[in-house]
Amino acid sequence: MKTIEIELIPYHSAIPSWSGYQYQGKVALNVVLDYILRIEREEYSKYLLELEWYEDFCIIREDEYVSIHQVKSYKNKNLSEYKDAIWNLLGKSIHKSCKKSFLHSTIDLGTEDEIKRELIKLKPPKKPEVPGKDYKGPKKRGYSPWHYYNMVTSKDAYDTAFEKFSKYTYSESKQYCPLLDLETEIKGRIKEYCSVNKGQVPTEAQIETTYTYLLGEIDKHITYRHSDEQENEDEEITPDKISFLDIIEVLDANWEEPSKDYVVFQLRNVFHNTCESLFVELHSAIMESEKYERLEDLERIESYVQVFAALSNDAFFNFCQMVTPHIEIPKASVDAFRCLIPSNGIEVLFSSFYEIKCILTGSKFIVKDQNDKNISYLPSTIKLSVGRIRTEANEISKIAVGILGNASIRKELFEIEVIITESILADSLEVAANKFTDIETLKTNDKITKIKNIRLIDIDTAMGELNK
C-alpha cells in the first residue's frame, strides 16, 4: 500500500484576517497623525489618506502622491519574504513619481543600504501565470511585483528608486514597530496633538476614547472598501480616500456618548477576534483528528465571516441583533457591545455554521431548508446559563419571552420558522415562555402569532433536519 504523507502546517486563513486589517489601519492612522503633527494647520484640508488602492495606503496632497506605504507583519527576518513588497514600492515610486516610499515591518530588517545591497541578489519576483490578474495597483493595469522589477531594472532606476525608499521610523528612532507597541505609538501622538492644540494634557480616558473613535473612522472606510469590491467585482472601482479634516474632527471633539460607528467598531472587534481564535482552534482539532474532509467546512465558515466583515455598519448591527434575538438592543449604544454577540455565544453561532452544511441565504444570516418546505432557520448565539438557583426551564422561559418581546427585529423574526441554539428544544416560543411567564399581555397580531410558533432546536437537531 502506498504511504501518503500529509504535511501538518500552521493554520493560515484563506481570507484576510480582521486583525490584519486592523494592523494595517493602525499603521495608516499612525502615519496620518505624524503628518498632522508635522504640517501647518492650514494645510490639513489639502491632505488625504488613500486606502488599499495604489498601495496598502498612501498620503496624497492636492492629487499628488506624497508617500506610498506597504505594511508587512511577518515574523520572519528573511528578506526574500519582503522582496515583492519592496519591488512594488520601488516600481510605484518611479511610476507615479511620488516623493517617498515606506516599508512598515514588525521586526528589524537592517538598514536601507543593507536591503539595497541584498535585494538585487535575490531571485526576481515570479512572473504571473495570468498577467494582470489579482494584483493591487491601478486596476486597469494590474501590475505585479514582476512588472515593477522589470520597470525599475529596464530604466536603470534602481539607485533612483532607493533614494525614495525608507523603512518607516517610529519612536526612539526604531525603524520597525511590534504589534503590541503600535497602540502606544498612536496614543502618544494623540496625547501630543491634544496637549499642543487644546492647551491641556488629556486624561487616559480621553486618549482611550479618541483612539477608539479614530480606529472606528478607519474601520468604516476599510469595511466600505471591501463591501464595494465584493458588490462590484466586474466594474471599475474608485479609490476610497479620507480627508485629514475627518481625522481632525475626531481629535478635536469632546466625547460624551459613544457614536454609532464607535459601538459597531467594538462589536466587529469582538466578533472577528473571537472568530479568528476559533478558526485556529478548529483547524488544530481537524488536523489532530485527521478528519481532513472537514477543512471544506472550515473554508465555508471563512466565506461567511468574509461576508459579515464586508457588511455596512447598519447591516452588521442588524446581524448582531438577529443572531442575539433574546436581547433587545434597539440602537447602537453602550449597552450594545456589552450585551450583543457575547464571546461564548459567538462559539455557538460558529459551531452552527460549521456543522450545518446548507449555505446561508445572502447576508440575511438565514439557512433555508433545501426540501419542498423551504423552512427558514436562524443560527443564533443563544446558550443556556444555569446554576443552583436558575433552572434550565426558567432560563428557557426567560429567553423565549425575550425573543417574543424584541420589537427591534420583529419584522425580521416574522420570516423565521426555527431558531438554532446550543442546547434548547422547544416546540414553540409560546410553549416555552408560558412555563414561567404569562405572555398574553403581548398585543396579538399576525406577526406576533407567527413568531409565537417559532421552534427552538439544538445544533444536533438542526444537523438532522438540514444535512440531508
Side-chain angles (χ1 to χ4, degrees), residues 418-429:
V418 186
I419 295 177
I420 302 168
T421 72
E422 182 190 47
S423 58
I424 300 173
L425 289 170
D427 291 335
S428 72
L429 287 173

Side-chain angles (χ1 to χ4, degrees), residues 335-346:
D335 289 336
F337 58 80
R338 288 176 181 164
C339 303
L340 291 181
I341 56 169
S343 56
N344 61 349
I346 295 173

